[in-house]
C-alpha cells in the first residue's frame, strides 16, 4: 500500500490507495487569466487571496500555486504567493512551475513538505528537478512524457513513468514520494482516451505501485457540457485507482462526483463527508423538527 504524505507547517494529508480522493485546487494559476496575471506581476495578490479562501471553503484538500507569467520575475512572485497562501490556510500546497529557479524559490520559503509540480522524463529535467526534491524533502509529480513528446500509446507513457521512478530512486527519493500524471488525452479528439487512461491508471497502481494525479479538465477539452464529462471521468478514474487530481473545487458537479465516488469506494465511512457536505441546513430560526416536517411535506407533494 502506497501513501504519499504532504504537509504544511501544521496539517498533514495523505494521498493513498485507500484514502479519500485528494482534490488539488487549480485556481491560483495566471495561465489564461489576464487579470490575475497582471495583478500578480504588479504585486497585487488580492485575487490570489480570494481564490485561496474560496477553494478552501469549497472543500479542496490541497492548493496548487502557479506564477507562470511571461516577462515577470516568476521566482519572486511564486515565493510571495506561497507565503501569502500559507498565511491564509493550513492546507498543504503544490508548488507549480516549469522554471527550476522558481521551484527552488518556492521550496525555500515553504513551511512543511510540499508537492513539486513537476518533473518529466527528459534527462535534463530529471537532473535539475530531482536533486531539488531530495534537498527539500518534497514529493513530486512525475509527468509521463520525455524528449519524444507525449505518446498516444499508454504503454509508452507507462515506461516513461517507470523511468522517472527509477531515476528518483537513484537520488534516494522513494516511490511513495512520486505521484504520476499519466497525461489524460481529450476524448473529443481521441475516442478511446478514457479507456486507455483507466487501464494505465490501474497499471500504475498495481504494477508500479504509485499514486496518480492529472489535470482533470483535459479529458473534456473541446466538448460542450464539460462539467458533466469531467464528473463522469473523475468517478470512473477513482474506480480505476486514481488518487488525486488538479481540478476546480468550485465546480459542484465535479466535487459531487468525487465525494460520491469516495462513498462508493468505501473511502467515506458511514457517508460522513457526504452528509456533512450535502445535508440541508435549517433556515435561520428554524428548529430541526420544523425542518423535518418541511421535508416530509415535500416528499408527499
Amino acid at each position: 500500500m502506497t501513501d504519499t504524505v504532504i504537509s504544511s507547517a501544521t496539517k498533514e494529508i495523505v494521498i493513498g490507495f485507500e484514502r479519500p480522493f485528494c482534490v488539488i485546487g487549480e485556481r491560483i494559476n495566471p495561465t489564461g487569466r489576464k487579470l490575475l496575471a497582471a495583478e500578480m506581476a504588479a504585486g497585487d495578490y488580492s485575487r490570489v487571496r480570494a481564490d485561496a479562501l474560496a477553494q478552501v471553503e469549497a472543500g479542496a484538500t490541497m492548493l496548487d500555486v502557479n506564477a507562470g507569467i511571461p516577462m515577470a520575475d516568476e521566482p519572486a512572485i511564486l515565493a510571495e504567493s506561497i507565503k501569502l497562501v500559507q498565511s491564509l490556510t493550513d492546507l498543504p500546497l503544490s508548488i507549480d512551475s516549469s522554471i527550476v529557479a522558481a521551484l527552488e524559490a518556492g521550496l525555500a520559503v515553504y513551511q512543511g513538505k510540499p508537492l513539486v509540480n513537476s518533473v518529466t522524463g527528459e534527462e535534463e529535467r530529471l537532473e535539475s528537478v530531482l536533486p531539488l526534491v531530495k534537498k527539500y524533502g518534497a514529493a513530486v509529480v512525475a509527468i509521463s512524457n520525455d524528449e519524444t513528446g507525449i505518446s498516444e500509446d499508454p504503454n509508452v507513457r507507462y515506461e516513461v513513468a517507470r523511468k522517472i521512478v527509477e531515476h528518483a530512486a537513484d537520488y534516494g527519493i522513494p516511490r511513495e514520494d512520486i505521484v504520476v500524471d499519466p497525461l489524460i488525452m481529450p476524448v473529443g479528439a481521441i475516442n478511446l482516451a478514457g479507456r486507455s487512461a483507466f487501464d494505465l491508471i490501474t497499471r500504475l497502481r498495481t504494477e508500479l505501485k504509485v499514486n496518480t494525479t492529472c489535470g482533470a479538465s483535459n479529458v473534456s477539452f473541446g466538448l460542450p457540457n464539460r462539467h458533466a464529462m469531467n464528473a463522469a471521468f473523475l468517478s470512473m478514474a477513482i474506480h480505476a485507482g486514481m488518487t488525486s487530481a488538479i481540478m476546480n473545487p468550485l465546480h459542484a458537479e465535479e466535487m459531487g462526483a468525487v465525494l460520491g465516488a469516495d462513498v462508493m469506494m468505501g473511502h467515506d465511512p458511514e457517508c460522513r463527508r457526504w452528509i456533512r457536505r450535502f445535508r440541508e441546513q435549517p433556515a435561520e430560526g428554524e428548529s430541526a423538527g420544523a425542518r423535518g416536517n418541511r421535508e416530509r411535506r415535500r416528499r408527499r407533494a
Side-chain angles (χ1 to χ4, degrees):
M1 208 61 64
T2 300
D3 282 345
T4 302
V5 178
I6 311 293
S7 69
S8 65
T10 59
K11 185 181 181 69
E12 180 180 284
I13 67 102
V14 181
I15 304 172
F17 298 164
E18 299 303 328
R19 304 280 182 163
F21 192 74
C22 178
V23 174
I24 306 171
E26 69 180 9
R27 291 285 294 164
I28 305 173
N29 188 333
T31 304
R33 300 179 64 192
K34 292 183 179 179
L35 185 56
L36 176 61
E39 289 176 351
M40 291 175 74
D44 178 359
Y45 297 96
S46 56
R47 202 171 300 267
V48 171
R49 175 187 294 271
D51 282 340
L53 294 175
Q55 291 181 105
V56 172
E57 179 67 22
T61 316
M62 293 177 54
L63 299 180
D64 187 81
V65 180
N66 182 297
I69 305 166
M71 307 302 292
D73 186 350
E74 184 173 337
I77 295 171
L78 184 58
E80 283 302 310
S81 298
I82 287 168
K83 288 191 289 185
L84 170 63
V85 175
Q86 287 211 290
S87 75
L88 298 171
T89 177
D90 64 354
L91 292 188
L93 305 184
S94 167
I95 300 175
D96 186 355
S97 180
S98 61
I99 297 175
V100 174
L103 289 177
E104 182 150 28
L107 285 164
V109 300
Y110 187 82
Q111 298 180 50
K113 178 184 177 181
L115 180 65
V116 170
N117 186 10
S118 57
V119 68
T120 64
E122 297 162 297
E123 291 295 332
E124 182 181 352
R125 189 73 178 168
L126 290 168
E127 292 174 7
S128 58
V129 174
L130 292 180
L132 277 182
V133 173
K134 178 61 177 178
K135 175 182 176 180
Y136 288 96
V140 64
V141 174
I143 299 182
S144 299
N145 71 283
D146 57 14
E147 291 87 352
T148 64
I150 302 173
S151 174
E152 291 187 15
D153 185 344
N155 293 315
V156 172
R157 300 207 299 277
Y158 175 87
E159 288 303 319
V160 174
R162 184 177 61 79
K163 170 188 173 182
I164 297 172
V165 169
E166 290 176 353
H167 273 64
D170 292 339
Y171 285 95
I173 302 168
R175 74 181 58 233
E176 56 264 29
D177 280 342
I178 300 169
V179 182
V180 172
D181 182 344
L183 291 171
I184 305 304
M185 304 296 189
V187 293
I190 304 172
N191 188 237
L192 294 179
R195 284 182 56 177
S196 295
F198 303 142
D199 290 344
L200 179 52
I201 290 164
T202 299
R203 191 177 177 197
L204 289 166
R205 172 173 174 154
T206 57
E207 295 181 33
L208 204 54
K209 295 180 172 54
V210 290
N211 284 302
T212 45
T213 195
C214 71
S217 64
N218 291 349
V219 74
S220 64
F221 183 79
L223 293 176
N225 197 4
R226 295 186 67 183
H227 297 318
M229 183 64 72
N230 295 343
F233 166 75
L234 282 164
S235 60
M236 295 180 73
I238 291 169
H239 181 258
M242 182 163 279
T243 49
S244 69
I246 301 169
M247 55 183 283
N248 188 344
L250 304 183
H251 291 156
E253 199 161 3
E254 284 99 317
M255 286 297 287
V258 165
L259 292 167
D262 275 344
V263 171
M264 298 303 174
M265 295 296 292
H267 298 158
D268 183 6
E270 300 177 349
C271 305
R272 292 175 186 172
R273 292 172 65 237
W274 179 271
I275 293 169
R276 187 165 59 246
R277 177 66 177 263
F278 294 111
R279 175 182 282 155
E280 184 177 342
Q281 298 299 312
E284 185 175 353
E286 180 183 36
S287 69
R291 183 187 62 185
N293 291 335
R294 176 164 50 81
E295 290 174 347
R296 284 190 287 274
R297 286 195 298 272
R298 184 188 303 126
R299 287 195 294 267
R300 287 197 296 270

